[in-house]
Each structure stands twice: as C-alpha cells, then as structure tokens.
Amino acid sequence: MVKNIDEGEKRMRSDKYHKKKKRRWPSILLVLLLLIGGVVGYAYFQYKQGVNQSLKKINKDNKEDVVYTFEGQKDQYGDTNVLLLGSDARGKEKSRSDTIMIVHFNEDKGTFKLTSIMRDSYVSIPGHGKHKINSAFALGGPELMRQTIKQNFDLDLQYFAIADFQGFVQLIDEAFPKGVEMDVEKKMTEFVDVPLEPGLQRLDGAQLLSYVRFRHDAVGDFGRVERQQKTVQAIKDQLSGFTITKLPKLIGVVSPYVNTNMDTSDTLFMAKDFLSNNRGSIETLRIPIENSFTEPRISGEGQVLDIDVKKNKEALHQFITQ
C-alpha cells in the first residue's frame, strides 16, 4: 500500500513538473520577443534621432536625392563590391566624381579591401569613347560608372553610394567627438576650407576633409589618394571605443547626405563587421599601379593618366582574390 502511494506521489510530482515546464516556455518566448522588440525599437529610435539631427543642418532646397538606376550584382567570386563616389555637388547629374573607390567585402571572412581609382585615369566609357573616368558619372550617373569599371576591369559592383562631403564631416564629428589622430605631413593651405599645419594632431570633420582633399603640391592627386587610404585605415584603427549600439544613430546621421541603393539593414551588417576589432588592417590598392601608365596631354581633356588596362585589370583581380 505504501509503495502504491509513493508511486502515485511520484507521478503527481512528475505531472506538476511537466506542466510547469510547459507553462515556462511561453513565458520565456514572450520575454525574448519583448527583448527583441525593445532592441529593434531602440535601434530605430537612435536611427531617426541621427536622421533628424542631420536634417536640421541641411539646406532644404538641396536635400532631394536623384533616383538612379543601378544594375549591380555580386562579382564572379561571390563577393560584394560597393562603389563609393565623393562629390561636392550631390544630386546634380552633371557633376564629376571627385573620389572613386571600391570597397570589396568578403562576407564569409568578414574582411574588407579598398581600391582607389584615380579620377584622371583615361579609359573607354561605354557609348562615349575615351575620357577621364570621373566624367562617367557626369555622363550617366553611377550606372555608367559601373559599366565603365565592368568594361575596363571586368569587375561587377553590387551597390553604389554617392556621398556629399558634408556627410563625411558629420560622420567624423559624431563618431570621433575628440577628433581623429593624424600625422599631417606638410602644411596644407591652398584650395582647402580649413588650413592645416604639419604635425601629429587630432582633426575634426572639417579639418579631416581638408586633409583628404588636398592635392595642390608636387605629387598632386597621387598624394591625395594616398591620404584618403591612410585616413580610412586610421578611422578603422581608432574605432575601438565605438560600440555596435551606436551604429544606428551614426548611420542615421550620415544617411541624409548619401544617395545609395543599399538598405539600412545591409549597411548595418557591413558596418558591424567593419567595426569588429579582430579583423586587422584594411588592404589597399591604387589604380593605376606603378609603372602602368603615362601622363600625356589630350586635347579637350588636359593631362591624363593613360593606363595599361590589361596590367591594371590583372592587378585588381589578384588583389581582391589573394
């Protein structure tokens, strides 16, 4: 009799345990959903806060983006390439791109590489003959620039981002309240908004913009491209104190200044990997590479970089696949 009672108690306890366990799962699921909802809500709030912060600083007559077509896709290696174009005249069809970069993102490895194409590279532009590559943007927007890069270098680009230089200033000031530490190698005063003195110093957004755009010295555009790549690496190295939780607001701050076909979720995904501390340095390439170009003067174009397309195409593909 005692034995039967013990067995009955065990069954009752077991039944109670399983009922509690069944009741516990909906509670855990509810808590998880609330947490996820809270995180998403917080991220959206921060993003909108960043957008509104920038919209207050933008001339309302110049904040409408041109809607561009862009027939991009992943490259033949399965990687994502983002065409970055920097321009003073954001939204104006006839402006030439001042800065041309390709960000190569390997999703499996989470690694980034950066190629800078010098704007005076003299190449074939589909339907327009040979011109400096930066004129492709003026002639047909980012899509014609994509076609030009595909035709000359056999590389597909999935996304584009056209950045107003003021967006760069706002990004730096938001991400680096104390400035970005840079060793300014020389005095820079000609044709820059903010003059710079040489030496190791912290540069705010406006100062850093002067640094990456300066080219009025003996090395001209070559020096500017080198400084741009040096600045990207410095930003990467000095983002150690920048946490993932700050990303939504930062993207919000920059987004009013950028015309892009990237979704906010795609931007967040790539930015998260860029911010990761264990990814190491960013490898860089400049086109044209050394000993692959001449510098003739062309009627109607001025001095150009007449590049060996085959040699530069091979160097680009070797760079992104190694």
Side-chain angles (χ1 to χ4, degrees):
M1 186 70 176
V2 174
K3 182 177 180 182
N4 289 337
I5 291 173
D6 290 343
E7 290 177 352
E9 287 181 351
K10 287 180 180 179
R11 281 196 298 271
M12 289 175 65
R13 289 172 183 170
S14 177
D15 290 342
K16 287 180 180 179
Y17 171 77
H18 287 296
K19 286 179 181 178
K20 286 181 180 179
K21 192 173 182 181
K22 288 178 181 178
R23 286 196 298 268
R24 191 182 302 157
W25 276 112
S27 299
I28 293 173
L29 183 59
L30 179 60
V31 170
L32 286 174
L33 289 174
L34 288 173
L35 285 173
I36 293 170
V39 170
V40 172
Y42 173 79
Y44 181 74
F45 171 77
Q46 290 292 311
Y47 171 78
K48 292 300 291 184
Q49 190 178 50
V51 170
N52 292 333
Q53 178 178 312
S54 288
L55 287 178
K56 293 176 183 178
K57 302 176 181 179
I58 295 177
N59 183 344
K60 292 182 179 180
D61 296 328
N62 190 39
K63 72 174 184 179
E64 290 297 323
D65 282 326
V66 175
V67 177
Y68 293 108
T69 59
F70 195 78
E71 300 177 9
Q73 61 184 11
K74 287 182 179 290
D75 66 25
Q76 57 267 55
Y77 310 110
D79 294 338
T80 297
N81 296 308
V82 183
L83 173 65
L84 296 183
L85 301 173
S87 174
D88 265 336
R90 174 177 164 272
K92 294 182 180 179
E93 194 74 32
K94 295 301 181 182
S95 62
R96 291 193 176 198
S97 47
D98 191 60
T99 299
I100 306 168
M101 291 181 172
I102 303 172
V103 176
H104 313 278
F105 175 56
N106 184 303
E107 185 176 333
D108 293 335
K109 298 177 182 178
T111 54
F112 291 84
K113 294 183 179 183
L114 180 67
T115 296
S116 297
I117 302 178
M118 296 188 67
R119 64 181 193 167
D120 290 341
S121 298
Y122 194 56
V123 297
S124 295
I125 297 178
H128 297 276
K130 293 195 74 170
H131 296 279
K132 292 180 180 180
I133 194 170
N134 68 335
S135 64
F137 180 67
L139 292 167
E143 171 61 15
L144 186 57
M145 182 69 80
R146 182 196 69 80
Q147 293 175 21
T148 300
I149 291 172
K150 173 66 176 177
Q151 177 172 301
N152 288 276
F153 304 110
D154 190 27
L155 188 69
D156 286 304
L157 309 172
Q158 187 172 4
Y159 299 114
F160 75 87
I162 306 166
D164 185 317
F165 286 126
Q166 284 307 306
F168 175 82
V169 172
Q170 298 303 320
L171 180 148
I172 296 302
D173 288 343
E174 181 67 30
F176 300 93
K178 296 181 180 180
V180 178
E181 186 176 276
M182 297 294 296
D183 188 3
V184 179
E185 61 270 21
K186 63 182 69 176
K187 188 174 183 178
M188 301 178 184
T189 58
E190 295 183 64
F191 301 97
V192 293
D193 291 333
V194 182
L196 298 174
E197 295 294 329
L200 186 65
Q201 55 199 286
R202 287 191 172 275
L203 305 181
D204 64 19
Q207 293 169 324
L208 195 58
L209 181 62
S210 288
Y211 180 74
V212 299
R213 297 199 67 199
F214 178 76
R215 66 187 184 96
H216 293 277
D217 58 7
V219 290
D221 215 31
F222 289 92
R224 179 169 65 170
V225 167
E226 184 178 340
R227 280 187 291 276
Q228 288 173 351
Q229 294 185 340
K230 176 183 173 182
T231 298
V232 171
Q233 185 60 59
I235 290 171
K236 164 73 172 175
D237 292 343
Q238 295 175 44
L239 274 172
S240 57
F242 192 87
T243 62
I244 299 297
T245 57
K246 297 179 182 178
L247 259 182
K249 184 178 181 183
L250 184 63
I251 291 174
V253 166
V254 175
S255 61
Y257 297 95
V258 178
N259 187 332
T260 182
N261 64 336
M262 293 184 70
D263 293 331
T264 303
S265 58
D266 294 325
T267 306
L268 278 168
F269 179 76
M270 292 180 65
K272 174 181 65 66
D273 273 356
F274 182 79
L275 288 173
S276 179
N277 289 327
N278 61 352
R279 298 300 185 185
S281 62
I282 298 175
E283 294 181 58
T284 60
L285 176 72
R286 186 203 72 206
I287 288 180
I289 61 173
E290 292 293 337
N291 303 316
S292 70
F293 63 93
T294 58
E295 300 181 70
R297 286 196 169 273
I298 305 293
S299 177
E301 294 280 351
Q303 190 169 36
V304 304
L305 300 176
D306 193 11
I307 71 173
D308 183 326
V309 172
K310 182 180 178 182
K311 185 179 289 188
N312 280 280
K313 178 171 67 176
E314 290 174 352
L316 175 61
H317 285 262
Q318 183 178 1
F319 171 67
I320 62 178
T321 57
Q322 64 187 7

Coordinates of all heavy atoms in Angstrom, one line a residue, residues 88-140:
D88 N 31.1 67.1 -54.5 CA 30.6 68.3 -53.9 C 29.2 68.7 -54.3 O 28.5 69.3 -53.5 CB 31.5 69.5 -54.3 CG 32.6 69.8 -53.3 OD1 32.4 69.4 -52.1 OD2 33.6 70.3 -53.6
A89 N 28.8 68.2 -55.4 CA 27.5 68.6 -56.0 C 26.5 67.5 -56.0 O 26.1 67.0 -57.0 CB 27.7 69.1 -57.4
R90 N 26.3 66.9 -54.8 CA 25.4 65.8 -54.6 C 24.0 66.1 -55.2 O 23.4 67.1 -55.1 CB 25.2 65.5 -53.1 CG 24.2 64.4 -52.8 CD 24.3 64.2 -51.3 NE 23.1 63.5 -50.8 CZ 22.0 64.1 -50.5 NH1 21.9 65.4 -50.6 NH2 21.0 63.4 -50.0
G91 N 23.5 65.1 -56.0 CA 22.2 65.2 -56.6 C 22.2 66.0 -58.0 O 21.2 66.1 -58.6
K92 N 23.3 66.5 -58.4 CA 23.4 67.2 -59.7 C 24.0 66.2 -60.7 O 25.1 65.8 -60.6 CB 24.2 68.5 -59.6 CG 23.6 69.5 -58.7 CD 24.4 70.8 -58.6 CE 23.7 71.8 -57.7 NZ 24.5 73.1 -57.6
E93 N 23.2 66.0 -61.8 CA 23.6 65.0 -62.8 C 24.9 65.3 -63.5 O 25.7 64.4 -63.9 CB 22.5 64.9 -63.8 CG 22.6 63.7 -64.7 CD 22.2 62.4 -64.0 OE1 21.3 62.4 -63.1 OE2 22.7 61.3 -64.3
K94 N 25.3 66.6 -63.6 CA 26.4 67.0 -64.4 C 27.7 67.0 -63.6 O 28.8 67.4 -64.1 CB 26.2 68.3 -65.1 CG 25.0 68.2 -66.1 CD 25.3 67.2 -67.2 CE 24.2 67.2 -68.3 NZ 24.5 66.2 -69.3
S95 N 27.7 66.8 -62.3 CA 28.9 66.9 -61.5 C 29.8 65.7 -61.8 O 29.3 64.6 -61.9 CB 28.6 67.0 -60.0 OG 27.9 65.8 -59.6
R96 N 31.1 65.9 -61.8 CA 32.1 64.8 -61.9 C 32.4 64.3 -60.5 O 32.4 65.0 -59.6 CB 33.3 65.3 -62.6 CG 33.1 65.6 -64.1 CD 34.5 65.7 -64.8 NE 34.3 65.9 -66.2 CZ 35.2 65.7 -67.1 NH1 36.5 65.4 -66.7 NH2 35.0 65.9 -68.4
S97 N 32.7 63.0 -60.4 CA 33.0 62.4 -59.1 C 34.5 62.8 -58.7 O 35.4 62.5 -59.5 CB 32.8 60.9 -59.2 OG 33.4 60.3 -60.3
D98 N 34.6 63.3 -57.6 CA 35.9 63.8 -57.1 C 36.7 62.6 -56.5 O 37.9 62.6 -56.6 CB 35.7 64.9 -56.0 CG 37.0 65.6 -55.6 OD1 37.6 66.2 -56.5 OD2 37.4 65.5 -54.5
T99 N 36.0 61.7 -56.0 CA 36.6 60.5 -55.4 C 36.0 59.2 -55.9 O 34.7 59.2 -55.9 CB 36.5 60.5 -53.8 OG1 37.1 61.7 -53.3 CG2 37.1 59.3 -53.2
I100 N 36.7 58.2 -56.3 CA 36.2 57.0 -56.8 C 36.9 55.8 -56.1 O 38.1 55.7 -56.2 CB 36.5 56.8 -58.3 CG1 35.9 58.0 -59.1 CG2 35.8 55.5 -58.8 CD1 36.4 58.1 -60.5
M101 N 36.1 55.1 -55.3 CA 36.7 54.0 -54.5 C 35.8 52.8 -54.7 O 34.6 52.9 -54.9 CB 36.8 54.3 -53.0 CG 37.8 55.3 -52.7 SD 37.9 55.6 -50.8 CE 39.3 56.7 -50.7
I102 N 36.3 51.6 -54.5 CA 35.6 50.3 -54.5 C 35.9 49.6 -53.2 O 37.1 49.3 -52.9 CB 35.9 49.4 -55.7 CG1 35.7 50.1 -57.0 CG2 35.0 48.2 -55.6 CD1 36.2 49.3 -58.2
V103 N 34.9 49.4 -52.4 CA 35.0 48.6 -51.2 C 34.7 47.2 -51.5 O 33.6 46.9 -52.0 CB 34.1 49.1 -50.1 CG1 34.2 48.2 -48.8 CG2 34.4 50.6 -49.7
H104 N 35.6 46.3 -51.3 CA 35.5 44.8 -51.5 C 35.2 44.2 -50.2 O 36.0 44.2 -49.3 CB 36.7 44.2 -52.2 CG 37.3 45.0 -53.3 ND1 36.8 44.9 -54.6 CD2 38.3 45.9 -53.4 CE1 37.5 45.7 -55.4 NE2 38.4 46.3 -54.6
F105 N 34.0 43.5 -50.1 CA 33.6 42.9 -48.8 C 33.4 41.4 -49.1 O 32.6 41.0 -49.9 CB 32.3 43.5 -48.3 CG 31.7 42.8 -47.1 CD1 32.5 42.7 -46.0 CD2 30.4 42.3 -47.1 CE1 32.0 42.1 -44.8 CE2 29.9 41.7 -46.0 CZ 30.7 41.6 -44.8
N106 N 34.2 40.6 -48.3 CA 34.1 39.1 -48.4 C 33.3 38.7 -47.2 O 33.7 38.8 -46.0 CB 35.5 38.5 -48.3 CG 35.4 37.0 -48.5 OD1 34.7 36.3 -47.7 ND2 36.1 36.4 -49.4
E107 N 32.0 38.3 -47.4 CA 31.1 38.0 -46.3 C 31.5 36.9 -45.5 O 31.4 36.9 -44.3 CB 29.7 37.8 -46.9 CG 28.6 37.6 -45.9 CD 27.2 37.4 -46.5 OE1 27.0 38.0 -47.6 OE2 26.4 36.8 -45.9
D108 N 32.1 35.8 -46.1 CA 32.5 34.6 -45.4 C 33.6 34.9 -44.4 O 33.6 34.5 -43.3 CB 32.9 33.5 -46.4 CG 31.8 33.0 -47.2 OD1 30.6 33.1 -46.7 OD2 32.1 32.5 -48.3
K109 N 34.6 35.7 -44.8 CA 35.7 36.1 -44.0 C 35.4 37.3 -43.1 O 36.1 37.6 -42.1 CB 36.9 36.3 -44.8 CG 37.4 35.1 -45.6 CD 38.6 35.4 -46.4 CE 39.1 34.2 -47.2 NZ 40.2 34.6 -48.1
G110 N 34.4 38.1 -43.5 CA 34.2 39.4 -42.9 C 35.3 40.4 -43.1 O 35.5 41.3 -42.3
T111 N 36.0 40.3 -44.2 CA 37.1 41.2 -44.5 C 36.8 42.3 -45.5 O 35.9 42.1 -46.4 CB 38.3 40.4 -44.9 OG1 38.0 39.6 -46.1 CG2 38.8 39.5 -43.8
F112 N 37.5 43.4 -45.4 CA 37.4 44.5 -46.4 C 38.7 44.8 -47.1 O 39.8 44.7 -46.4 CB 36.9 45.7 -45.6 CG 35.5 45.6 -45.1 CD1 35.3 45.0 -43.8 CD2 34.5 46.2 -45.8 CE1 34.0 45.0 -43.3 CE2 33.2 46.1 -45.2 CZ 32.9 45.5 -44.0
K113 N 38.6 45.1 -48.3 CA 39.7 45.7 -49.1 C 39.2 46.9 -49.8 O 38.0 47.1 -50.1 CB 40.2 44.6 -50.1 CG 40.9 43.4 -49.4 CD 41.5 42.5 -50.5 CE 42.1 41.2 -49.8 NZ 42.7 40.3 -50.8
L114 N 40.2 47.8 -50.1 CA 39.8 49.1 -50.7 C 40.6 49.4 -51.9 O 41.9 49.4 -51.8 CB 40.0 50.2 -49.6 CG 39.6 51.6 -50.0 CD1 38.1 51.7 -50.3 CD2 40.1 52.6 -49.0
T115 N 40.0 49.7 -53.0 CA 40.7 50.1 -54.2 C 40.3 51.5 -54.6 O 39.1 51.9 -54.6 CB 40.3 49.2 -55.4 OG1 40.7 47.9 -55.2 CG2 40.9 49.7 -56.7
S116 N 41.3 52.4 -54.8 CA 41.1 53.7 -55.2 C 41.4 53.9 -56.7 O 42.5 53.5 -57.1 CB 41.9 54.7 -54.4 OG 41.6 54.7 -53.0
I117 N 40.5 54.4 -57.5 CA 40.7 54.6 -58.9 C 41.0 56.1 -59.1 O 40.1 56.9 -58.8 CB 39.6 54.1 -59.8 CG1 39.3 52.6 -59.5 CG2 39.9 54.4 -61.3 CD1 38.1 52.1 -60.4
M118 N 42.1 56.5 -59.6 CA 42.4 57.9 -59.8 C 41.5 58.5 -60.8 O 41.3 57.9 -61.9 CB 43.9 58.0 -60.1 CG 44.8 57.6 -59.0 SD 46.6 58.0 -59.2 CE 46.5 59.8 -59.1
R119 N 41.0 59.6 -60.5 CA 39.9 60.2 -61.3 C 40.4 60.6 -62.7 O 39.6 60.7 -63.7 CB 39.4 61.4 -60.6 CG 40.4 62.6 -60.5 CD 39.7 63.7 -59.7 NE 40.6 64.9 -59.8 CZ 40.2 66.2 -59.5 NH1 38.9 66.3 -59.1 NH2 41.0 67.2 -59.6
D120 N 41.7 60.8 -63.0 CA 42.2 61.2 -64.3 C 42.6 60.0 -65.1 O 43.2 60.1 -66.2 CB 43.4 62.1 -64.1 CG 43.1 63.5 -63.6 OD1 41.9 63.8 -63.7 OD2 44.0 64.2 -63.1
S121 N 42.3 58.7 -64.7 CA 42.6 57.5 -65.5 C 41.8 57.6 -66.8 O 40.6 57.8 -66.8 CB 42.1 56.3 -64.7 OG 42.9 56.2 -63.5
Y122 N 42.5 57.5 -67.9 CA 41.9 57.7 -69.2 C 41.5 56.4 -69.8 O 42.3 55.5 -70.1 CB 43.0 58.3 -70.1 CG 42.5 58.9 -71.4 CD1 41.5 59.9 -71.5 CD2 43.1 58.5 -72.7 CE1 41.1 60.4 -72.7 CE2 42.7 59.1 -73.9 CZ 41.7 60.0 -73.9 OH 41.3 60.6 -75.1
V123 N 40.2 56.1 -69.8 CA 39.6 54.8 -70.2 C 38.5 55.0 -71.1 O 37.9 56.1 -71.4 CB 39.1 54.1 -68.9 CG1 40.3 53.8 -67.9 CG2 38.0 54.9 -68.2
S124 N 38.0 53.8 -71.7 CA 36.9 53.8 -72.6 C 35.6 53.8 -71.7 O 35.4 53.0 -70.8 CB 36.9 52.5 -73.4 OG 38.0 52.6 -74.3
I125 N 34.7 54.8 -72.1 CA 33.4 54.9 -71.4 C 32.4 54.4 -72.4 O 32.3 55.0 -73.5 CB 33.2 56.3 -70.9 CG1 34.2 56.7 -69.9 CG2 31.8 56.5 -70.3 CD1 34.1 58.2 -69.4
P126 N 31.6 53.4 -72.0 CA 30.6 52.8 -73.0 C 29.7 53.9 -73.6 O 29.1 54.7 -72.9 CB 29.8 51.9 -72.1 CG 30.8 51.5 -71.0 CD 31.6 52.7 -70.8
G127 N 29.8 53.9 -75.0 CA 28.9 54.9 -75.7 C 29.5 56.3 -75.8 O 28.8 57.1 -76.5
H128 N 30.7 56.5 -75.3 CA 31.2 57.9 -75.3 C 32.7 58.0 -75.7 O 33.2 59.1 -75.6 CB 31.0 58.5 -73.9 CG 29.6 58.6 -73.4 ND1 28.8 59.7 -73.8 CD2 28.8 57.8 -72.7 CE1 27.5 59.5 -73.3 NE2 27.5 58.4 -72.6
G129 N 33.3 56.9 -76.0 CA 34.7 57.0 -76.4 C 35.6 57.1 -75.1 O 35.2 56.7 -74.0
K130 N 36.8 57.6 -75.3 CA 37.8 57.6 -74.2 C 37.7 59.0 -73.5 O 37.8 60.0 -74.2 CB 39.2 57.3 -74.7 CG 39.4 55.9 -75.2 CD 40.9 55.5 -75.3 CE 41.5 55.3 -74.0 NZ 42.9 54.8 -74.1
H131 N 37.7 58.9 -72.2 CA 37.7 60.1 -71.4 C 38.3 59.8 -70.0 O 38.5 58.6 -69.7 CB 36.2 60.7 -71.1 CG 35.5 61.1 -72.4 ND1 35.7 62.3 -72.9 CD2 34.6 60.4 -73.2 CE1 35.0 62.5 -74.0 NE2 34.3 61.3 -74.2
K132 N 38.5 60.8 -69.2 CA 38.9 60.6 -67.8 C 37.7 59.9 -67.1 O 36.5 60.2 -67.4 CB 39.1 61.9 -67.1 CG 40.4 62.7 -67.6 CD 40.5 63.9 -66.8 CE 41.8 64.7 -67.2 NZ 42.0 66.0 -66.5
I133 N 38.0 58.9 -66.3 CA 37.0 58.0 -65.7 C 36.0 58.8 -64.9 O 34.8 58.4 -64.8 CB 37.6 56.9 -64.9 CG1 36.6 55.8 -64.6 CG2 38.3 57.4 -63.7 CD1 37.2 54.5 -64.1
N134 N 36.4 59.9 -64.3 CA 35.4 60.6 -63.4 C 34.3 61.3 -64.2 O 33.3 61.6 -63.7 CB 36.2 61.6 -62.5 CG 36.7 62.8 -63.3 OD1 37.0 62.7 -64.5 ND2 36.9 63.9 -62.6
S135 N 34.5 61.4 -65.5 CA 33.4 62.0 -66.3 C 32.3 61.0 -66.6 O 31.2 61.4 -67.0 CB 34.0 62.5 -67.7 OG 34.5 61.4 -68.5
A136 N 32.5 59.7 -66.3 CA 31.4 58.7 -66.5 C 30.2 59.1 -65.6 O 29.1 58.9 -66.0 CB 31.9 57.3 -66.1
F137 N 30.5 59.6 -64.4 CA 29.4 60.0 -63.5 C 28.6 61.1 -64.1 O 27.4 61.2 -64.1 CB 29.9 60.3 -62.1 CG 28.9 60.7 -61.1 CD1 27.9 59.8 -60.7 CD2 28.8 62.0 -60.7 CE1 26.9 60.2 -59.8 CE2 27.8 62.4 -59.8 CZ 26.9 61.5 -59.3
A138 N 29.3 62.1 -64.6 CA 28.6 63.3 -65.2 C 27.8 62.9 -66.4 O 26.7 63.4 -66.7 CB 29.6 64.4 -65.6
L139 N 28.3 61.9 -67.2 CA 27.6 61.5 -68.4 C 26.5 60.6 -68.2 O 25.5 60.5 -69.0 CB 28.7 60.8 -69.4 CG 29.8 61.7 -69.9 CD1 30.8 60.9 -70.6 CD2 29.2 62.7 -71.0
G140 N 26.5 59.8 -67.1 CA 25.4 58.8 -66.9 C 25.2 58.3 -65.5 O 24.7 57.2 -65.3

